[in-house]
Every structure is written in structure tokens, then in C-alpha cells.
């Protein structure tokens, strides 16, 4: 498959030089989408006419020298769990198949305020629960690097769309790794900023204490450009934080960097990587050669992060998803006899298996008699992890992380639920702690792209982006990793 693409920065230059207009860029992207989407299934809906109109408006602004932002005119797309007024937002679920958003998510609003044409909504795991984008009501997303393989999840459509050159930038959401893991499997950059950096207003809730909007891009610079436009406080989301607004990408000087390597992932000697950790370690070694200091740290709670995440995220999801009752939102069963059966039949028909499994697990973890054993214990583990991670970050600029324990697997292989949950082994700590984290291509994982990850200080998004940029200037790592 031809995977030629333009980065957002290249598009900006082409518009500045007058070689291309926003309209010609949007049309070029739409051509790629028309050609590749029937196979890859990244887009579940394409907003062709509207995007062309938005591009023409951008071109008009450029002629009048009143551009709204550096990304004015650059095409993008959004995950199908972000509300966009007047458009369907389905969370890739039968439950919301015909749900038209009554208002626009702040992150999406900011794309529009920046003048970016929105080309469509992107496929995902149903209600953002999964790691393969196979549980979508619209069918699975395929990996553009090898269409026989999964694209990762839950923001598989976003990762695929960027990797396939359909759009240079896309929004996703990350509750336990849903931006970073598909980015790793498709060979692009995925960023989950610190909790509170981007407003969650209009993002359909999965686990509210961990949900964050994130971005997909080809380069750290592109991701930084987008982050500048969509980050920052929002009166409509109490948990958003103006202090976390991302303003500019700093330069990383390797000799001034100290990287923490958790012994739980890279061995007590810092040389024994866990499965999937080889590429990250190779990246750290390169930084070391350039003068960075590597330091082994211990974060014992890392081994309990995944079970804690599962309990907490399922508990929150079971509560969040109780609003889909067949009365106020979404699918309503035509076969109910009374109110009780209206609720149960609508939910039974509207939700897929994975969503039901999580609602059951979460309801159980919160039920009386079990709350202390599951929910409260998981919450205590989370607090321990927050403390230990903060200690590990003291005196370091970032923590080195693997991203995915394995490369993209064959579509339809359907690993059992527990194996699938283990995809999140290395990504959930950033969600439990609320820290910013990034995944970027580095080296190889078999014949698929490898990836490395970083987790930063609460206000250290710039540092991890700058380090990812260093990886890029070392030529993507395929030769070096
Ligand atoms: N794979 C994780 C899960 O299934 C991540 C979900 C997410 O980040 N939205 O819970």
C-alpha cells in the first residue's frame, strides 16, 4: 500500500508558498480516503462537502491575511466519541447509531476556531473499550502497514487515518492507552497530555477520572502545533486546567537530560527489557550516547497498575453508561412490555459484548459488600502508584516506558479478554497518575514498527515532545533502534 503522506508542517509550507490551497489539500486527502477507506475502515463518516466549504473559507482568509492559527486550512478528523453539533456521534455503538450531537466538544470547537477543516469521524472500539478496534459496530479497522493486522485501539481509526496519509492530524481519546497503543501499532506519534490539559467537555465519558483527549500526528512538531491550539482551561470542564496550557515546544539537549528506567520494566541493571521494551531501551541507549544520564528507579506498584485500572475504569464506566437507558439517549427496543423491560432490552440490544462485560464487572466492583475488596483497594493502589511515580520522577526529566507488549496481531485472531487487557500493561500508569505520556515510532517489532514511550512530569509535556523529536531527527530509529 502506498503510504506517502504530507505532515501538517509540510502542508503549512505548501499553502504559504501558494503551491497548494487548503481546498486542494482537502481534496487530496479525500481522494486518499476514497481510495483506501473501503479496505481500512478508518472513517465511519466522511464530511466531504462541509470540509471543502471549510477549506474554501480558509483559503479566503489566507487571501485576506487574517488566518486564525498556524494550522488554518490543515485537514484533520475526530474520533467518533467527540461531539460535533449536528453530526452523528455514535461511539461505534448500535446504542448511539442515530444520535446527533446537540453541541460541540470543546476540543472540536477549538479545531474549528483554529480554521481546520474536519474531514469526518473515525472508527474506534465500542465506547472506547478495547485494544484492537475490532469491537466497533462498523466492523474492524485494518492496519495500513499490513491490512491483515489490527490497528490497535481504541482509537484505531485515528491512528490508521494518520498512518495511511488520509489526514495529517487526528484526535483520539486515551483512558488507558487508547491513543498511545494504536499509534505504536501503526507507526505514528500519539500523545496523551496530563489529565486536565484538554477539556473533556463533549467527550463521551468512559472513565471520567482518567479520560483525556489526545492527538495523533506524523511528528512531535505536528503534535505540538495541535496541542497549542486545543489545550488550556475550559469553564465547561471543571477538571481542565489553564495552568497546563501547552504553549511552545522546547529544544531538548540530550546532555541535560536524565531518564528514569523503572527496574520493573527494564531490569535492576537497566538492561533487561520486558516484552515490547526493547525499542524503548534502544532509544535510551542512543540518548545516553548523546550525553543523557540513565538512572534505574523502582516503582513497585507498576505490577498492580493494570488490575487497579481494570477495576476503576469498569466501575466508572458502569456508572457513566447507566445514562443509556433507552429513554433519554440512543437505541430504544421496540419489544418492551414495561419500563423495566424497556431498560433491559434497550441495553441488551444496544451494547456489544465487551461493553456489557465491563458494565457487569464494574457494577460488581461497586456493589455493597464488594466495594471495599475491589474498588477501594484499587483506589488505594492508585494512590500508591501516584506517590511512587512522583518519587521516581524526582531528579529525572521523564520515565522511559514500553508501549505495547507486542506488535500488531492478525485481524480476527481475537485473543481472550485477559490477553487483550494486557495490551494496556505499560500505558495505564500514565492514566492512573494523570501524567503526560507519548508514544513514538522507534526501531522494529518483528516486521512491524517498534515504539518507545515516555511519561513526564505533570507540566512536562514539552520535554517528552522534545525527546520524541530527538528520536525523529535520529531518523526514526529504524536504522538505529
Ligand atoms: N485498552 C484500554 C481499555 O480497553 C484503553 C481504553 C482507552 O484508553 N479508551 O480499557
Amino acid at each position: 500500500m502506498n503510504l506517502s503522506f504530507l505532515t501538517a508542517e509540510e502542508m503549512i509550507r505548501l499553502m504559504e508558498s501558494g503551491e497548494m490551497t487548503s481546498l486542494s489539500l482537502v481534496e487530496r486527502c479525500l481522494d486518499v480516503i476514497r481510495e483506501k477507506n473501503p479496505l481500512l475502515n478508518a472513517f465511519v463518516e466522511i464530511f466531504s462537502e462541509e470540509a471543502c466549504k471549510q477549506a474554501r473559507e480558509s483559503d479566503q482568509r489566507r487571501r485576506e491575511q487574517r488566518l486564525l492559527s498556524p494550522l488554518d486550512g490543515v485537514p484533520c478528523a475526530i474520533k467518533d466519541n467527540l461531539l460535533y453539533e449536528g453530526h452523528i456521534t455514535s461511539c461505534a455503538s448500535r446504542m448511539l447509531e442515530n444520535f446527533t450531537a446537540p453541541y460541540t466538544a470543546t476540543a472540536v470547537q477549538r479545531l474549528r476556531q483554529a480554521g481546520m477543516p474536519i474531514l469526518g469521524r473515525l472508527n474506534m472500539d465500542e465506547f472506547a473499550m478495547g485494544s484492537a478496534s475490532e469491537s466497533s459496530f462498523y466492523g474492524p479497522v485494518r492496519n495500513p502497514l499490513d491490512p491483515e493486522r489490527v490497528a490497535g485501539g481504541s482509537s484505531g481509526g485515528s491512528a490508521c487515518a494518520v498512518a495511511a496519509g488520509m489526514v495529517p492530524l487526528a484526535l483520539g481519546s486515551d483512558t488507558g492507552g487508547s491513543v498511545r497503543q494504536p499509534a505504536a501499532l501503526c507507526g505514528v506519534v500519539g500523545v496523551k497530555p496530563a489529565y486536565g490539559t484538554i477539556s473533556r467537555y463533549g467527550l463521551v465519558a468512559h472513565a471520567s477520572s482518567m479520560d483525556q483527549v489526545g492527538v495523533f500526528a506524523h511528528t512531535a512538531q505536528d503534535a505540538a502545533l495541535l496541542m497549542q491550539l486545543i489545550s488550556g482551561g475550559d469553564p465547561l470542564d471543571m477538571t481542565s486546567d489553564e495552568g497546563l496550557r501547552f504553549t511552545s515546544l522546547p529544544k531538548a539537549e540530550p546532555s541535560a537530560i536524565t531518564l528514569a528506567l523503572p527496574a520493573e520494566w527494564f531490569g535492576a541493571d537497566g538492561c533487561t527489557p520486558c516484552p515490547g521494551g526493547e525499542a524503548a531501551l534502544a532509544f535510551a541507549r542512543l540518548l545516553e550516547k548523546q550525553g543523557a544520564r540513565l538512572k534505574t528507579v523502582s516503582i513497585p506498584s507498576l505490577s498492580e497498575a493494570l488490575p487497579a485500572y481494570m477495576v476503576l475504569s469498569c466501575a466508572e464506566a458502569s456508572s457513566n453508561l447507566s445514562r443509556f437507558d433507552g429513554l433519554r439517549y440512543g437505541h430504544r427496543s421496540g419489544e418492551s412490555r414495561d419500563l423495566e423491560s424497556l431498560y433491559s432490552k434497550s441495553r441488551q440490544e444496544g451494547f456489544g459484548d465487551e461493553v456489557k462485560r465491563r458494565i457487569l464487572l464494574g457494577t460488581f466492583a461497586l456493589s455493597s459488600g464488594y466495594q471495599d475488596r475491589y474498588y477501594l483497594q484499587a483506589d488505594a493502589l492508585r494512590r500508591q502508584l501516584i506517590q511512587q511515580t512522583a518519587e521516581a520522577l524526582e531528579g529525572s526529566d521523564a520515565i522511559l516506558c514500553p508501549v505495547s507488549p507486542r506488535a500488531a496481531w492478525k485481524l480476527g485472531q481475537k485473543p481472550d479478554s485477559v490477553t487483550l487487557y494486557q495490551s494496556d500493561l505499560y500505558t495505564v500508569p500514565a492514566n492512573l497518575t494523570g501524567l503526560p505520556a507519548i508514544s513514538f515510532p522507534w526501531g522494529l517489532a518483528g516486521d512491524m514498527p517498534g515504539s518507545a514511550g515516555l511519561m513526564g512530569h505533570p507540566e512536562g509535556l514539552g520535554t517528552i515532545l522534545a525527546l520524541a523529536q530527538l528520536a525523529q531527527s535520529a531518523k526514526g530509529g529504524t536504522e538505529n533502534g
Side-chain angles (χ1 to χ4, degrees), residues 79 128-131 153-154 173-178 206 309 313 358 424:
K79 186 175 178 178
M129 296 172 187
S131 300
S154 65
S173 65
D174 191 314
T175 305
S178 283
H206 169 185
Y309 165 78
S313 66
R358 301 221 186 179
D424 307 328

Side-chain angles (χ1 to χ4, degrees), residues 151-425:
S154 65
S155 316
S158 309
C160 171
V162 171
M166 295 172 171
V167 275
L169 293 166
L171 293 188
S173 65
D174 191 314
T175 305
S178 283
V179 166
R180 291 159 289 153
Q181 185 258 15
L185 268 44
C186 292
V188 295
V189 172
V191 187
K192 179 206 87 80
Y195 186 77
T197 306
I198 301 174
S199 168
R200 291 182 297 115
Y201 179 72
L203 168 67
V204 178
H206 169 185
S208 315
S209 76
M210 293 180 274
D211 294 342
Q212 246 310 269
V213 175
V215 310
F216 291 85
H218 290 290
T219 64
Q221 292 98 311
D222 277 6
L225 278 177
L226 185 53
M227 206 57 88
Q228 280 167 28
L229 299 175
I230 62 175
S231 64
D234 174 14
L236 297 168
D237 173 6
M238 268 161 48
T239 61
S240 70
D241 181 352
E242 180 57 23
L244 291 172
R245 179 184 291 279
F246 180 71
T247 50
S248 64
L249 181 62
K251 269 231 154 350
E253 179 44 63
S255 61
I257 293 289
T258 302
L259 211 53
L261 275 57
E264 291 72 17
W265 287 339
F266 300 102
D269 54 358
C271 298
T272 323
C274 50
E278 303 83 1
L281 194 57
F283 170 67
R285 294 278 167 241
L286 174 94
L287 280 188
E288 190 181 31
K289 266 194 223 141
Q290 298 178 349
R293 204 167 76 87
L294 308 188
K295 172 174 122 181
T296 298
V297 294
S298 176
I299 310 178
S301 299
L302 282 178
S303 54
E304 270 117 16
L306 186 58
Y309 165 78
M310 283 313 297
V311 171
L312 295 172
S313 66
C314 290
E316 293 187 34
S318 75
S319 155
N320 275 326
L321 269 60
S322 64
R323 74 190 68 177
F324 302 109
D325 56 7
L327 285 181
R328 285 169 300 171
Y329 304 100
H331 177 76
R332 180 179 300 176
S333 173
E335 293 186 13
S336 53
R337 300 174 310 278
D338 49 25
L339 186 63
E340 190 62 35
S341 71
L342 174 69
Y343 288 152
S344 63
K345 280 209 175 303
S346 301
R347 285 166 73 77
Q348 202 173 45
E349 294 165 6
F351 290 136
D353 288 349
E354 182 59 23
V355 176
K356 285 180 193 154
R357 183 177 299 122
R358 301 221 186 179
I359 292 174
L360 286 172
L361 284 170
T363 308
F364 176 72
L366 287 175
S367 56
S368 91
Y370 293 97
Q371 208 178 32
D372 302 2
R373 273 196 16 220
Y374 295 102
Y375 184 80
L376 294 179
Q377 263 211 53
D379 197 47
L381 276 169
R382 178 183 196 169
R383 271 178 279 130
Q384 247 177 39
L385 180 72
I386 291 174
Q387 164 134 26
Q388 291 172 8
T389 312
E391 281 162 19
L393 273 167
E394 268 170 35
S396 307
D397 297 281
I399 296 175
L400 184 73
C401 312
V403 184
S404 172
R406 54 202 178 123
W409 53 95
K410 293 271 186 216
L411 210 77
Q413 237 178 27
K414 292 238 167 48
D416 60 87
S417 299
V418 174
T419 312
L420 206 55
Y421 296 160
Q422 282 169 346
S423 308
D424 307 328
L425 210 54

